Amino acid sequence: MMFEKLKPYLYVIFLQFGNAGLVIIAKAALNHGMNHYTFATYRNLIATLVITPFALFFERKGRPKLTISVFLKIMLLGFLEPVVDQNLYYAGMKYTTATFAAAMGNIIPAMTFLMAWICRLEKVNIKKIHSIGKIVGTLVTVGGAMIMTVVAGPTIGLPWTKGTTTTNHNQSTVSVSPEDNIKGSIMIIIGCLSWSCFYIVQAITLRSYPAELSLTALICAAGTLEGSIVTVIAERGDNAAWRLHWDAGLVTMVYGGVICSGLGYYLSGIIMKEKGPVFVTAFNPLTMVIVAILGSFVLSEQLNLGRILGAVVIVAGLYLVIWGKTKDQSQSDEKRDPTQIQPGNQQIPLTMSNTKLGKYDQDSLSIAIPPNNEMIKKTNGS
């Protein structure tokens, strides 16, 4: 039971570690000329090939019927995140900076919370303290991510980063023209909005198609098809964009397809069925914390006071969100009356021994209570 309670938290933390790893390797691949159109297409193709066998095997008996309504939702899901978000996010990063793109990505929890509130996927009662805690916690996590990005402060000297400087970081910083900055900002904002819409539509689709593996495979297949069409239009006449090479780009495609698209969509679906889409996105700012920590170990990047302060604020905000969601769950459980008799035949065992009516050949009888409670039928030797 302890694992069942901790499972959503372990899954969502795993998702953030997966996203953090993609940020690190995707940055290197983009610097080496990886095309973001073909990256999104091949990434979803790999995810489709990996997830489909598991979906066909494990959900071969319990897979719901694919209706026209569900099919249209799947096509919309394949367009929102695999095509729009993945392409616009990395394209916007080229026009601006990686730091700005990472910071803008942390507005997703606030966007998702607002849309889930409008679609009534999230319970909010401003008269309840735990609902206020969820709202404040979401805003605090966004604020902590901004602190990590904007505030610098003095450098914290760690033993494994001694002797390193920020020269490489300064050399990698490029000047951005105002026109490119505006263009890139709009792309990133639209991409983040599309990602938030993806979570909302996924939560709605799971209600009528509760098969996480099959839904994941269909989303990735739809994303591959739609992404291929977009890539053909955007890169028409450039056949070299489709060529694969044994480089960082191929590693990024495989990693992004298996971990972030395949497992990512599947695990987020499992979490949504229990906790809702807001719970999934509330942990997004944790990616910046993980990237900062991994960057100090792997890339020997310096940690400053602003990053540490922002990480503390993010953790505090996540605690408020988790506390509010826990209170919601406990109140839902309290509304259920365990002593209430549910409709249907209820078998009530009655033990009988030597009574004034005499001995019975059998030691017990059962009384079947029909749903309308109009008739009592005695069985077993009555």
Side-chain angles (χ1 to χ4, degrees):
M1 291 185 63
M2 180 61 68
F3 175 75
E4 290 297 325
K5 293 181 179 179
L6 294 178
K7 186 166 63 174
Y9 302 95
L10 296 176
Y11 284 170
V12 76
I13 291 175
F14 173 81
L15 291 179
Q16 303 314 314
F17 271 98
N19 292 333
L22 182 62
V23 169
I24 294 176
I25 63 176
K27 184 178 185 300
L30 287 171
N31 291 340
H32 285 81
M34 181 181 68
N35 186 293
H36 62 84
Y37 290 110
T38 54
F39 164 64
T41 302
Y42 282 127
R43 168 182 168 175
N44 289 282
L45 176 61
I46 293 171
T48 304
L49 297 176
V50 172
I51 296 296
T52 299
F54 293 96
L56 293 175
F57 179 78
F58 289 104
E59 295 178 347
R60 61 186 183 277
K61 295 182 179 180
R63 188 181 300 108
K65 183 180 179 181
L66 185 62
T67 62
I68 297 178
S69 176
V70 173
F71 175 77
L72 293 177
K73 292 176 184 176
I74 291 173
M75 296 303 293
L76 177 61
L77 287 169
F79 182 73
L80 285 173
E81 208 282 323
V83 177
V84 177
D85 173 59
Q86 292 178 20
N87 280 292
L88 289 182
Y89 183 82
Y90 291 109
M93 185 185 298
K94 288 183 178 181
Y95 283 110
T96 57
T97 62
T99 302
F100 179 81
M104 292 301 296
N106 290 292
I107 66 176
I108 293 176
M111 289 181 173
T112 307
F113 188 93
L114 181 60
M115 286 188 288
W117 190 355
I118 295 174
C119 297
R120 297 183 179 180
L121 296 175
E122 186 69 20
K123 297 179 181 178
V124 178
N125 187 354
I126 58 176
K127 296 181 180 179
K128 301 292 184 179
I129 187 65
H130 64 271
S131 291
I132 298 177
K134 290 191 297 183
I135 299 174
V136 173
T138 303
L139 297 176
V140 168
T141 55
V142 176
M146 295 303 177
I147 291 175
M148 291 188 67
T149 305
V150 178
V151 179
T155 301
I156 306 298
L158 299 176
W160 54 87
T161 60
K162 287 184 178 180
T164 62
T165 62
T166 59
T167 303
N168 294 333
H169 174 73
N170 293 333
Q171 289 177 352
S172 62
T173 303
V174 295
S175 59
V176 181
S177 64
E179 294 79 8
D180 288 344
N181 187 50
I182 295 175
K183 185 189 302 183
S185 300
I186 295 175
M187 288 182 176
I188 295 174
I189 292 174
I190 295 176
C192 293
L193 179 61
S194 178
W195 198 355
S196 298
C197 293
F198 172 84
Y199 282 122
I200 299 299
V201 178
Q202 184 183 15
I204 296 174
T205 306
L206 282 170
R207 292 180 174 180
S208 54
Y209 196 82
E212 293 86 358
L213 282 172
S214 299
L215 182 61
T216 299
L218 291 172
I219 291 173
C220 294
T224 303
L225 176 62
E226 296 168 352
S228 300
I229 297 174
V230 173
T231 305
V232 169
I233 296 174
E235 301 294 335
R236 55 186 179 277
D238 186 10
N239 296 327
W242 293 94
R243 295 176 184 174
L244 296 177
H245 305 279
W246 295 98
D247 55 6
L250 182 60
V251 175
T252 306
M253 294 174 187
V254 175
Y255 179 92
V258 176
I259 303 298
C260 298
S261 291
L263 283 176
Y265 298 160
Y266 170 65
L267 293 180
S268 63
I270 293 178
I271 301 169
M272 283 181 196
K273 291 179 69 174
E274 182 176 351
K275 298 290 186 179
V278 174
F279 182 86
V280 179
T281 57
F283 285 76
N284 275 23
L286 191 62
T287 300
M288 290 192 67
V289 180
I290 299 173
V291 170
I293 296 175
L294 291 180
S296 67
F297 283 99
V298 179
L299 304 176
S300 297
E301 292 182 349
Q302 296 283 356
L303 284 176
N304 53 46
L305 184 61
R307 290 187 176 182
I308 296 178
L309 179 61
V312 173
V313 173
I314 288 174
V315 173
L318 289 176
Y319 175 80
L320 286 175
V321 175
I322 295 172
W323 174 77
K325 297 291 292 183
T326 304
K327 289 295 183 180
D328 279 344
Q329 185 67 32
S330 62
Q331 287 190 357
S332 298
D333 295 338
E334 289 175 359
K335 290 181 180 180
R336 301 173 184 174
D337 186 4
T339 62
Q340 184 179 2
I341 299 178
Q342 300 295 330
N345 292 336
Q346 304 291 330
Q347 297 295 328
I348 306 175
L350 299 179
T351 302
M352 301 188 68
S353 56
N354 296 334
T355 63
K356 295 180 180 180
L357 297 176
K359 294 182 179 181
Y360 287 82
D361 293 336
Q362 299 181 8
D363 293 334
S364 64
L365 59 84
S366 62
I367 300 176
I369 304 177
N372 54 12
N373 293 332
E374 295 176 354
M375 178 181 64
I376 298 178
K377 180 180 178 182
K378 297 181 179 179
T379 60
N380 298 337
S382 171

